[in-house]
Amino acid sequence: MFIESFKVESPNVKYTETEIQSVYHYETTELVHENKNGIYQWVVKPKTVKYEFKTNTHVPKLGVMLVGWGGNNGSTLTGGVIANREGISWATKDKIQQANYFGSLTQASAIRVGSFQGEEIYAPFKSLLPMVNPDDIVFGGWDISNMNLADAMGRAKVFDIDLQKQLRPYMESMVPLPGIYDPDFIAANQGDRANNVIKGTKKEQVQQIIKDIKEFKETTKVDKVVVLWTANTERYSNLVVGLNDTMENLLASLDRNEAEISPSTLHAIACVMENVPFINGSPQNTFVPGLIDLAIKRNTLIGGDDFKSGQTKMKSVLVDFLVGAGIKPTSIVSYNHLGNNDGMNLSAPQTFRSKEISKSNVVDDMVNSNAILYEPGEHPDHVVVIKVILFSLSLPCLSNSIGCLCSLLLQYVPYVGDSKRAMDEYTSEIFMGGKSTIVLHNTCEDSLLAAPIILDLVLLAELSTRIQFKAEDEVCYMLVA
């Protein structure tokens, strides 16, 4: 049975006019390495921590500013929300399609809340706590291209033509603010799009982003703003002692206009200074140590290191299943080709390194969790191939793990557009030296998979700014953010 809403009656939950107060007993275990009778042994002990939570139930008017608003993800998310808000339907070659939020955890998934007369009862995830209705979001943002959102939607070629025609009147007046463009951090082929850029030093660029956020909030009359990076994947920033290793050094580097501060880090600095949540949707290392230090000091939410909406998500799920089942993956070969601007930008080796690290890291935690299957330092062979028409490159392995093979072929296939193709072969060692091979083919509609994830991230980021908690031995509440 499915119900739309519910209320909790419990001695651990209290509703007031402005908040929900709750008590949660977190039960876990801790390990102690003890010396008993001259012999060291691991001892597992139960541990319970009592937490008190307070959730502000006032749902604000939310503004979302996207960095890369005019890209495929930005135009797709904006158009999708408008279509849902306006109740738009459109003709496809198969049927009349209604707007929906499929693919969104908050809007399209359900949770089990209990049972009634022997039947399990489910409710929408969004009914757990008061959350922003995505139909009410006000969008804005930045882009290095000055193309309006209607034309950007047409350039992306993600939506059906009938839907594009209906959305155009709503989107043609939406024009991105100038963005930060630094050709040292992205592929040279992005230069043709860069006709809408913020000039000045890096500190002046940060100040302009802060000004943009303030003006957006004032003009749209929103209560809160969340900023999300959905622009080009950048190359990895060099981590340098004295430059970006501490908050003080990072801000001093900003004053000196140091070259090794990426546009995504500049946006993040601006958001932290304004206490605005910042989410990174690309695989580069935006959050250098100095920025993390700054965010902690100012108690501002930052998070994210790639959406992982298609092939990488499948890889994380499948490797987790195999290793958890006592099966030993020994070789993972991944191939994909894509034709959107993300693929074009990734055709540069320095930006692809960020993506390769992201894909490789997915396997590491699972492998490290099982010392029965893997010896110390042992790792599956892991090959990542991205198809490119323009040229091919062979890059060195980015892992220090023994037995790790990473050979990379970079390619960009414009014809496939946003419909990314991914093929994976997983070879594993099974019982008594046997071999098992799983082969997957995955056609990923890149932006249609990423857009609902972006939606969830901004909604949950906003929600987290309304939740405070403290342990039983603490006096003051802390923001979850």
Side-chain angles (χ1 to χ4, degrees):
M1 184 185 298
F2 193 81
I3 60 175
E4 290 296 331
S5 62
F6 59 91
K7 184 176 181 179
V8 177
E9 288 188 2
S10 165
N12 291 328
V13 178
K14 178 182 178 182
Y15 292 84
T16 73
E17 291 185 1
T18 59
E19 62 187 23
I20 300 172
Q21 301 170 0
S22 59
V23 175
Y24 176 69
H25 293 89
Y26 175 61
E27 296 184 350
T28 183
T29 57
E30 63 178 2
L31 273 75
V32 180
H33 205 203
E34 292 185 347
N35 185 343
K36 291 190 174 182
N37 301 321
I39 300 174
Y40 278 94
Q41 59 181 354
W42 289 104
V43 179
V44 179
K45 297 182 178 181
K47 181 180 179 181
T48 301
V49 182
K50 177 183 175 183
Y51 288 102
E52 296 178 22
F53 287 85
K54 295 194 301 184
T55 303
N56 186 332
T57 54
H58 172 68
V59 177
K61 182 179 180 181
L62 180 62
V64 172
M65 300 189 76
L66 301 175
V67 189
W69 190 23
N72 286 24
N73 288 345
S75 60
T76 300
L77 175 62
T78 304
V81 169
I82 293 171
N84 276 275
R85 185 188 70 206
E86 302 298 327
I88 294 176
S89 60
W90 65 98
T92 71
K93 63 181 181 181
D94 299 316
K95 62 179 180 178
I96 300 298
Q97 177 67 50
Q98 303 292 328
N100 61 51
Y101 283 119
F102 289 0
S104 165
L105 173 71
T106 61
Q107 305 303 305
S109 71
I111 57 165
R112 181 185 178 278
V113 292
S115 60
F116 175 73
Q117 296 181 348
E119 183 179 357
E120 292 191 336
I121 307 298
Y122 294 86
F125 183 98
K126 62 186 178 183
S127 66
L128 277 170
L129 289 169
M131 298 180 67
V132 171
N133 184 336
D135 294 353
D136 299 331
I137 292 175
V138 180
F139 284 99
W142 304 265
D143 203 285
I144 61 173
S145 168
N146 65 0
M147 185 177 287
N148 69 65
L149 267 287
D151 289 343
M153 171 182 61
R155 177 179 62 188
K157 300 178 182 179
V158 173
F159 288 144
D160 291 321
I161 291 295
D162 188 21
L163 176 57
Q164 290 187 39
K165 289 178 178 178
Q166 295 184 68
L167 287 172
R168 176 165 283 277
Y170 298 98
M171 298 175 66
E172 57 191 358
S173 63
M174 298 178 173
V175 180
L177 297 165
I180 300 175
Y181 173 62
D182 188 338
D184 182 45
F185 281 89
I186 57 177
N189 56 35
Q190 299 301 299
D192 293 341
R193 295 168 69 113
N195 61 3
N196 191 44
V197 302
I198 301 173
K199 305 293 185 181
T201 66
K202 291 183 183 291
K203 186 171 185 178
E204 289 169 342
Q205 290 172 336
V206 169
Q207 291 170 341
Q208 182 62 51
I209 296 301
I210 291 174
K211 181 182 177 184
D212 290 342
I213 294 172
K214 289 180 176 179
E215 290 181 351
F216 173 77
K217 189 173 182 179
E218 182 179 347
T219 302
T220 59
K221 306 301 181 186
V222 296
D223 301 312
K224 289 183 179 179
V225 175
V226 174
V227 173
L228 182 142
W229 178 278
T230 182
N232 282 317
T233 295
E234 298 171 333
R235 67 164 174 84
Y236 254 49
S237 297
N238 295 320
L239 302 182
V240 181
V241 174
L243 189 145
N244 51 20
D245 57 328
T246 68
M247 175 185 71
E248 293 80 9
N249 288 338
L250 179 62
L251 295 178
S253 298
L254 184 65
D255 290 335
R256 297 193 305 269
N257 199 35
E258 292 281 358
E260 198 58 27
I261 308 178
S262 70
S264 63
T265 299
L266 294 175
H267 275 275
I269 291 172
C271 290
V272 171
M273 300 303 287
E274 280 299 295
N275 198 28
V276 168
F278 178 87
I279 301 165
N280 172 39
S282 295
Q284 69 269 350
N285 60 341
T286 296
F287 304 135
V288 295
L291 179 63
I292 296 173
D293 191 15
L294 179 65
I296 292 172
K297 293 285 198 308
R298 298 185 68 87
N299 196 26
T300 301
L301 172 64
I302 60 171
D305 70 346
D306 201 6
F307 294 133
K308 297 181 174 64
S309 60
Q311 184 184 50
T312 314
K313 177 183 286 186
M314 294 297 297
K315 184 174 294 182
S316 62
V317 171
L318 187 54
V319 174
D320 186 29
F321 160 72
L322 291 171
V323 175
I327 296 171
K328 180 181 180 179
T330 54
S331 172
I332 303 171
V333 180
S334 299
Y335 165 97
N336 53 89
H337 61 265
L338 59 164
N340 55 20
N341 191 57
D342 183 36
M344 189 175 182
N345 179 59
L346 288 174
S347 66
Q350 68 273 22
T351 52
F352 182 72
R353 279 181 176 268
S354 298
K355 194 70 173 178
E356 194 273 339
I357 291 171
S358 174
K359 287 181 176 291
S360 298
N361 286 347
V362 165
V363 178
D364 295 340
D365 288 342
M366 288 76 166
V367 169
N368 294 335
S369 70
N370 194 323
I372 300 172
L373 298 178
Y374 296 97
E375 297 291 333
E378 187 182 6
H379 200 281
D381 291 343
H382 189 190
V383 179
V384 182
V385 180
I386 290 190
K387 210 46 185 137
V388 186
I389 275 178
L390 304 176
F391 55 85
S392 64
L393 294 166
S394 209
L395 297 182
C397 174
L398 297 179
S399 171
N400 293 322
S401 302
I402 296 173
C404 177
L405 172 65
C406 294
S407 92
L408 311 173
L409 178 65
L410 287 149
Q411 197 123 332
Y412 164 60
V413 184
Y415 180 77
V416 304
D418 210 61
S419 184
K420 180 170 64 178
R421 278 32 167 212
M423 283 151 275
D424 297 88
E425 180 188 87
Y426 298 83
T427 302
S428 302
E429 185 176 334
I430 55 175
F431 185 58
M432 301 299 289
K435 298 275 193 299
S436 170
T437 300
I438 299 172
V439 179
L440 299 178
H441 180 277
N442 186 2
T443 299
C444 311
E445 299 291 342
D446 228 16
S447 298
L448 295 176
L449 288 169
I453 295 175
I454 295 173
L455 182 64
D456 288 338
L457 289 170
V458 297
L459 294 179
L460 294 173
E462 185 287 314
L463 174 62
S464 70
T465 65
R466 291 187 280 122
I467 301 175
Q468 300 179 70
F469 76 102
K470 72 179 184 73
E472 59 182 334
D473 57 346
E474 296 173 338
V475 177
C476 299
Y477 283 87
M478 298 178 292
L479 285 173
V480 169

